[in-house]
Amino acid sequence: MRKYILLFAFVSALVISGCSGITDTITNAQRLQWKLGSVSGMNVSGVDVSNVSSFSSINPLDLVKLTSAVGTGKLPVNFTLNLLAKNPEGEGGSKNSSDLIKSVDWRLLIDNKETINGVVSGPITVPGVGQTSTIPVAISLDILQFFQNEGLQSLAGMLLGIGGKSGSPARLSLKIRPTIDTFIGPITPGEITVIDKEFRSK
């Protein structure tokens, strides 16, 4: 009889622990808040402008390259936009998370104008309570496709404002749809608009 009582106690403990784990899993996934972090590696038509502060400080040889590129009707831009996923302090969830962000579908807006879209593939560990994860989003687009009526100086000013020496992602926003892979199945919240000013969950 004692053996059966111990077995029942053991199974009950597993069930209770499992229920708690499921609750923490769902809570950690649903608690996530998102924000745009830094922009790095801004490259315009082969010219690294990440340490350039203004149009007037662009190297003359680099300026010739950029002018030539605009003349061809294409101005390829590459940079990394760091997406921050935060699990805020508070009740619920756990500091140790085993959940994974399977993927993040995204759409990029510049000055509220929709441009390109893509997917960041995981797995990326969901941060536990009080922790933040950084998810690099590789951006590659022809900026002239979306801002055809802008001259080189105007375009350079915009890009330097985003990823130059003193740049910030203030002119950017991402529309994201993350898929979080848990042991009870994938969880996909609705589309979230992500900006640089604050963490958001919707």
Side-chain angles (χ1 to χ4, degrees), residues 1 95 153-154 165 188:
M1 177 64 71
K95 289 189 177 295
Q153 187 165 350
S154 176
K165 187 174 183 179
T188 304

Side-chain angles (χ1 to χ4, degrees), residues 37-191:
S38 61
V39 172
S40 61
M42 176 67 76
N43 185 291
V44 184
S45 194
V47 177
D48 182 358
V49 298
S50 57
N51 289 311
V52 178
S53 56
S54 66
F55 182 78
S56 60
S57 59
I58 297 176
N59 180 294
L61 291 178
D62 289 336
L63 191 57
V64 170
K65 290 180 184 178
L66 297 176
T67 303
S68 175
V70 171
T72 67
K74 293 183 179 181
L75 193 63
V77 175
N78 300 279
F79 61 92
T80 298
L81 175 58
N82 290 305
L83 175 64
L84 307 179
K86 177 183 179 181
N87 192 339
E89 296 282 1
E91 295 183 3
S94 63
K95 289 189 177 295
N96 296 318
S97 171
S98 60
D99 307 330
L100 298 174
I101 300 173
K102 186 176 181 180
S103 62
V104 180
D105 292 77
W106 56 266
R107 297 186 286 133
L108 175 69
L109 284 76
I110 303 177
D111 288 345
N112 295 317
K113 183 181 183 66
E114 185 159 343
T115 59
I116 61 171
N117 58 74
V119 180
V120 177
S121 298
I124 303 158
T125 301
V126 172
V129 173
Q131 301 172 33
T132 301
S133 292
T134 300
I135 303 169
V137 181
I139 305 294
S140 181
L141 75 161
D142 177 4
I143 199 70
L144 283 180
Q145 245 187 323
F146 306 99
F147 297 91
Q148 298 175 348
N149 298 322
E150 301 288 341
L152 175 59
Q153 187 165 350
S154 176
L155 288 171
M158 176 178 68
L159 296 172
L160 291 174
I162 294 170
K165 187 174 183 179
S166 303
S168 80
R171 300 176 71 163
L172 306 179
S173 61
L174 278 183
K175 304 278 189 180
I176 67 168
R177 189 180 295 273
T179 298
I180 300 166
D181 199 10
T182 73
F183 67 86
I184 60 170
I187 297 174
T188 304
E191 189 174 70

